[in-house]
Structures are given as C-alpha cells and as structure tokens.
Amino acid sequence: MSTHRPTRLRRLAPLVLLSVLLAGCDDAAEQQEQAPTPQVRVEMVQVQPLAISTELSGRILAPRTAEVRARVAGVVLKRVYREGSDVKQGQVLFLIDPAPFKADHDSARATLAKAEATRYQARLQAQRYSQLVDDKAVSRQEYDNARAALLQADAEVAEAKAALERARLNLGYATVTAPISGRIGRALVTEGALVGQNETTPLATIQQLDPIHADVSQSTRELNALRRALRAGELSQVGEGQAKATLIQDDGSAYPLAGKLLFSDISVDPSTNQITLRSEFPNPDLDLLPGSYVRVRLEQAVQPKGISVPQRAILRDSAGVPKVLVVDAQARISERQIVLGSAQGDRWIVSEGLAAGERVVVEGLQHVKAGDQVQVESSQGELPIVQHNGQ
C-alpha cells in the first residue's frame, strides 16, 4: 500500500493544479464582469451669443496732466500745498513775492487816473470850442485841434486801463493756483528760489487719476481679420463706448471695476504696424498709477451663434490637434476632432466639430477612452453662463 501511494499522488497533482487555475480564471472573469462602470461628468453643448475678446498690452495714462509753471518772475516765498496730496482746481499752491507786482499795479492805477484827468480837460475844451466855432470866436483849426486832443486823451485812458489790467494779472500770477483738479507730485522748487526769469519755470505736476485711461496696441493684422469677420456676418459689432474692458493686474487677477473702450486711433504706428485703442477705468482708490504696464481684455465683437467648452474638456493628440470626448445616446464614448477659436476666460470657443445638444465630457476624461460605456452625470447647472456685453 505504501509503495503505490506516492505514485498515485503524482498522478493526481496535475489535475489539482488545473482545477486551481480554472477556478482562478473564473474568479478573474467574475471580478471583471463586476467592475463598476466609469462615471463621467458632461456638459450639454449650447448655442448662445459669445463675446469675442482680445487681450492686449499697454500702459496706464492720466487723462489730464498739467504742469504748474511760474508765469511771472520772482522769488518763491512759500509752498502752500502738501506734496502727494489731492488738490482742487483754483487751490493755492505757491506764493511768489508780490511786492514788485503790487508796486507796478499801483503805478498803473495812478497812470490811469492821470490819463482820465487829461481826458476830462480835453473834453471840456472841445465842448467850449464847439460853441465858439459857430460864433466865429475861434477858428475851425483850433476846434479841430481840441477834438484831436480829446481823441488822444481817450486813447491814453484805454492804454492806461490795459496797463492796469496787465499789472493786476501779474499781481494775481504771484499766487500760483492749480489749473486742474487731481493729485499733485513733489515740488520742483523750494522757498527762496528765483523762478520765471526769462522762462516759465515748472513748479510741480498735477495728474487726474480718476477715472484713468489704459492705452493698448493691436496689430493691424488682427484688426483686419476682425473686420473681415464682421463684414462676412460671422460676428456682430460692439459699439465704441459700449464694449466692455477688463484690466488684468500684475498678479494675473482681474481689476474689480469694469471699464469701457473709448475709441480706436485713426492712424497706424509705422514703426510697429499697430494701432492704439484707449479704454477708461474707474480708479476711486488710486490703485492704477500712470506709467504702469497692464494687460486689457477688450470685447470687440459678438458671435451671435457661438459654441464654447471648458478648457479642461480639451485633449490633444501627439500632433497637437485638439479633440473632445462625446457621449452618445447609448452612453458610449467617442472622440471628436474640433477646431478651436479664441480662449475666453476658462473656456475655448469652438469654430467647428460640435453641434447644439451634444454632450461633452468635462470630468473623468483620464478614466475612459473611445468605445467605453459610462455613467453620465450632468454638470450643466454648475457651469457659468457666457454673458453677452457684460449683461
């Protein structure tokens, strides 16, 4: 008995091994059949008006800049304003020694009084001679001389009045005031400085900062492409003054206050082949300062029947061709090659490849491939609506 048992065991071993392998295959097949269907989140493609925006670079500029200058020669007695403060139009900024201008004003006033006295005497003489000439008591020549003296006296009075007005203006210019309202910079002169000697000396600079302008440049190639699309009816025009402008700050965040496009320049810079576009932004807290480099996103047109998808839904093949995953009516995945337009925030405008009502996978792309059966979860309610004209 003991001699035949090992032989029998050796004969049974392959059968046992085969049974174990078959049982393992059955378990694997059963686990594969029981694997959960992958879940994806989709967005329903919608056709709606889309604002076509362009991001351009430029500089912040003050709408109004005024150089405060000395209009008369004299010595600065006092700086009245505080450097870096906001000033109002007509506010006193500097005081120039008024003494010589006061003396000139008094002298001009005395000259006017003398001229008026001379005119009074000439008028009386002309009136007397007008009566005597009829009685032949004086000659016609004497009467004409009296009339000429009166006319000359009138001219001297007018000249004296003009000199008095000029002296009054010079006396007023000794008090330097702000020509515009805005923020004033540092003083360019100090007390005791002689200003206005043979030139109009700059004293300070005032800039208006609220609202403020942003001048950006766009190439004529881009502008011409936009115009061709407008003429072809592919896009509709957004009027100047109505086009929304968004300013992108240094850290990439959007400036919280929306601006508007004011106008496009009528000439092209020959050195850069670009045209200047000016937009305006509110600046109540003076966060935007002249000379700063900024980027501005301008809505220059509207695509009446536009389609857009989230950027996270875009896949690219080895050649860089964009595509998306689409879920059909049987909840099966298929690949779709598309043509992209411009990027609008976190979304891409799709020029070709998608139609209204189709479902595009926006989450779970890494877990599925073409031909897979999936469970669909809609994210339509969670997606931002692309707005037209900022409304």
Side-chain angles (χ1 to χ4, degrees), residues 296-342:
V296 177
R297 187 181 299 126
L298 294 174
E299 293 183 2
Q300 294 179 288
V302 174
Q303 189 171 355
K305 296 180 179 179
I307 291 176
S308 69
V309 295
Q311 290 189 2
R312 65 180 185 275
I314 304 298
L315 301 173
R316 294 185 184 270
D317 59 18
S318 57
V321 177
K323 58 184 179 179
V324 294
L325 299 181
V326 179
V327 181
D328 60 18
Q330 288 73 40
R332 194 169 296 278
I333 296 289
S334 63
E335 283 188 357
R336 182 76 57 79
Q337 184 174 323
I338 60 175
V339 177
L340 296 179
S342 60

Side-chain angles (χ1 to χ4, degrees), residues 71-86:
R71 304 176 70 175
V72 291
V75 176
V76 177
L77 294 182
K78 187 178 182 182
R79 171 175 58 83
V80 179
Y81 75 96
R82 182 172 56 86
E83 294 175 309
S85 63
D86 293 324

